[in-house]
Amino acid sequence: MNLELFSLQGKTALVTGCARGIGLGIAQGLAGAGADIIGLDLADLSAAREAVCGQGQRFYSVCCDVANADAIDAVWQQVIACTGRLDILVNNAGMQHRESAYTYPTEILDKVLAVNLRSQYLLAQKAANQFRAQGGGRIINIASLFSTFGGMHVSGYTLSKHGVVGLTRALSNEFAADGIRVNAIAPGYIATELTQSIWQDPEKSRPINERIPAGQWGLPQDLAGAAVFLASPASGYITGAVVPVDGGYSCR
């Protein structure tokens, strides 16, 4: 096989929520394959900059609250101006709130949906228009195990992540004729700062580990291979797919 099919040399990728966790792992993986990275986040992006530049690629920072539709509009031209083009969008920014569905606050639900779902729609829409003018591109949405499972006390998150899969499939149908591939990655239990209270607690993590055939939680860098594949020419005939990266959890 020609491994150049997996190369991202000369490409620019926008990765949202890449200050830490899964977004940082994906940004590092894409940079390792040759892509320059535009990091979009509200948090400090110095770790992402160091990881990307350390591999000889360029890194650009864009500050934006993706919960705010007007803010996305306001920074889009700044995104394009970083390198003059865009080839890959990774919709990773997300948030979580744990609470019983009996009392889940409306204002929290609205924000979870705005960050986890609406921002993916708006950014995909903007990226697709840029891609169409350039002759094609890649959109990778970050879904979740909870795109197929219900979970407990995460009803807002589950709702948003089910929506991400539906959005991925709908956009894949509409954009394919213009050379735009839209796919999703569904991470399982990944050890990040956001999940630290679970994976560091033996009582909470034990039943999860027992269900994962691989026997352990994943790490952010475990998402990099799937992201590089879906961003590269190697996946040129794949669109509308949801790729689980979960150590086999969803097969149990």
Side-chain angles (χ1 to χ4, degrees), residues 149-222:
F149 289 78
M152 288 289 289
H153 302 141
V154 289
S155 55
Y157 185 80
T158 297
L159 172 59
S160 69
K161 291 302 185 178
H162 271 68
V164 169
V165 170
L167 176 64
T168 299
R169 291 171 175 161
L171 297 184
S172 72
N173 291 335
E174 293 200 39
F175 297 163
D178 291 312
I180 302 166
R181 303 293 177 253
V182 187
N183 295 289
I185 298 173
Y189 284 96
I190 307 297
T192 67
E193 292 180 30
L194 293 178
T195 58
Q196 189 171 7
S197 64
I198 301 175
W199 59 264
Q200 286 194 336
D201 185 327
E203 293 303 312
K204 292 179 180 178
S205 63
R206 184 178 299 111
I208 296 172
N209 287 336
E210 289 173 349
R211 175 164 176 166
I212 301 172
Q216 62 187 26
W217 284 51
L219 299 174
Q221 53 264 40
D222 291 325

Side-chain angles (χ1 to χ4, degrees), residues 37-114:
I37 305 297
I38 303 169
L40 190 152
D41 209 312
L42 276 176
D44 178 18
L45 286 161
S46 57
R49 179 181 297 279
E50 181 178 353
V52 170
C53 294
Q55 297 183 86
Q57 300 305 128
R58 293 179 296 176
F59 184 85
Y60 305 87
S61 300
V62 176
C63 182
C64 179
D65 178 5
V66 297
N68 186 328
D70 291 337
I72 293 174
D73 283 339
V75 302
W76 186 252
Q77 290 307 313
Q78 180 185 346
V79 168
I80 301 303
C82 289
T83 64
R85 63 177 293 117
L86 186 68
D87 304 284
I88 302 152
L89 166 65
V90 180
N91 268 322
N92 167 74
M95 66 171 291
Q96 173 65 285
H97 177 77
R98 293 182 175 274
E99 186 169 337
S100 168
Y102 286 105
T103 57
Y104 206 99
T106 301
E107 63 273 16
I108 297 295
L109 175 62
D110 288 345
K111 186 169 184 180
V112 168
L113 292 175

